[in-house]
Amino acid sequence: MSPDEIKHFLVAYDPATGNTKVRSFGTDYDAAQAAYAEAERSNNDERLDIVLLGADSLETIKQTHSSYFNGKERPELKELLPR
Amino acid sequence: MKLSRMADIGGVRAVLPTQVAAYRVAVRLRRNWTITRFRDYVANPKADGYRALHLINRNRGRLIEVQLRTPLQDSWANAVEAFARTIAPGLKFGAGPPELREYFIAVGESFARGDQDLPPDPALVARVDDLQKSVDTLLDRAANES
C-alpha cells in the first residue's frame, strides 16, 4: 500500500455513552484534516475522544484501535490467555 | 514541549503475526529509515505491563512514532485503553484500582510467554484466574453504581 492509497477516518468516541461516530474521507487527507481540526474546535469540554486515523480500510482500524469500537463493553482477555 | 512541535508528531501502528516478525520489521526500519529513537518494551516492559516495539522516525522534519505489536500485545493495550477510558482513568499512568493493575501485569506476562512460544506457567495462570475474579467483582460493582 502506498501512502496516497491510505484512507482517512475521523473517529469520535463518547466515553459517557460508549457511542462511536466515524466519518470516512477516502484518500482525501486535506478534507480529513480540516474536519479533524473543526471537530477538535467544537469539542471544547473535551467530552469526546477524537482521533484521525488512516489505514487501508475501516476493518483494519477496528482491529488496531478496537477500544474505540467496543462501546461500553467490558474488554475480555480471558479467551486469549495461553493455557 | 511546544504545541507547534507536537503537531509534527504522527503515529503508525502495525500488528504483526509474531514477535519474531515484529523484530524483523524493526531491524529493517532501523536499516532503511532515519530512526532517532528505538524503545524495546518487549525486552523491557513498562511498569504497567505494556509491551511493544516503538521507533521514532524523522522524515522531512516530521516525527512519526511507529508501534509494532503482536496480536496479543495489541489486545492487551486496547483493553487497558478501554478500561482507562471508562472505569479507571489513569490506569495507563500507574493509577487505578490495584487489582486491575496487577491483573494487567499478570496477563501481560502470560501473553508474553505465549508470544515467546513458552508453555503456560501454572502458577501464573492461577494468579491470573484469581485476579480475574477480583476484577470481575470490581467491575460488577462499578456497573451497579453507574
Side-chain angles (χ1 to χ4, degrees):
Chain A
M1 189 177 60
S2 83
D4 43 332
E5 286 172 77
I6 293 176
K7 298 187 183 79
H8 303 279
F9 302 92
L10 184 59
V11 178
Y13 176 81
D14 185 342
T17 63
N19 287 336
T20 305
K21 279 195 186 130
V22 180
R23 283 177 67 193
S24 307
F25 295 89
T27 55
D28 190 347
Y29 180 61
D30 292 339
Q33 218 179 17
Y36 176 47
E38 180 48 41
E40 281 291 18
R41 247 195 308 279
S42 53
N43 189 31
N44 283 329
D45 50 359
E46 293 185 8
R47 189 175 62 89
L48 301 175
D49 202 341
I50 300 171
V51 282
L52 182 58
L53 301 168
D56 57 337
S57 70
L58 186 58
E59 291 319 302
T60 298
I61 284 172
K62 283 184 177 173
Q63 187 197 341
T64 56
H65 293 75
S66 64
S67 67
Y68 290 103
F69 295 95
N70 294 333
K72 295 198 73 159
E73 209 177 287
R74 211 176 269 190
E76 285 290 355
L77 296 175
K78 251 180 269 188
E79 307 87 74
L80 301 175
L81 285 168
R83 286 179 189 273
Chain B
M1 187 193 295
K2 283 185 196 155
L3 273 173
S4 58
R5 291 286 311 145
M6 274 189 67
D8 290 340
I9 298 181
V12 175
R13 182 175 295 162
V15 180
L16 285 306
T18 63
Q19 191 62 74
V20 171
Y23 272 116
R24 217 176 274 148
V25 171
V27 166
R28 214 159 60 219
L29 295 184
R30 292 178 82 183
R31 196 183 301 143
N32 300 330
W33 288 9
T34 309
I35 300 299
T36 58
R37 200 178 81 182
F38 173 53
R39 290 277 153 90
D40 184 346
Y41 295 120
V42 177
N44 304 295
K46 289 193 189 183
D48 63 2
Y50 179 81
R51 285 170 175 78
L53 303 176
H54 285 197
L55 302 96
I56 307 257
N57 169 45
R58 198 181 25 208
N59 187 333
R60 283 172 283 172
R62 286 171 194 271
L63 299 174
I64 308 287
E65 183 184 68
V66 180
Q67 302 179 346
L68 306 175
R69 297 174 176 172
T70 66
L72 288 175
Q73 289 164 355
D74 189 53
S75 298
W76 184 97
N78 280 317
V80 169
E81 196 112 326
F83 275 112
R85 205 172 289 130
T86 50
I87 69 145
L91 187 63
K92 283 164 82 180
F93 310 102
E99 309 91 305
L100 201 51
R101 283 204 324 261
E102 282 167 37
Y103 170 74
F104 275 113
I105 290 169
V107 171
E109 275 172 37
S110 173
F111 280 6
R113 291 187 68 87
D115 276 336
Q116 294 167 73
D117 289 322
L118 293 171
D121 169 356
L124 182 58
V125 171
R127 225 162 71 76
V128 170
D129 286 342
D130 266 2
L131 287 163
Q132 179 83 54
K133 280 183 211 129
S134 322
V135 167
D136 284 342
T137 313
L138 184 87
L139 295 177
D140 289 338
R141 213 183 309 136
N144 289 334
E145 278 165 13
S146 67

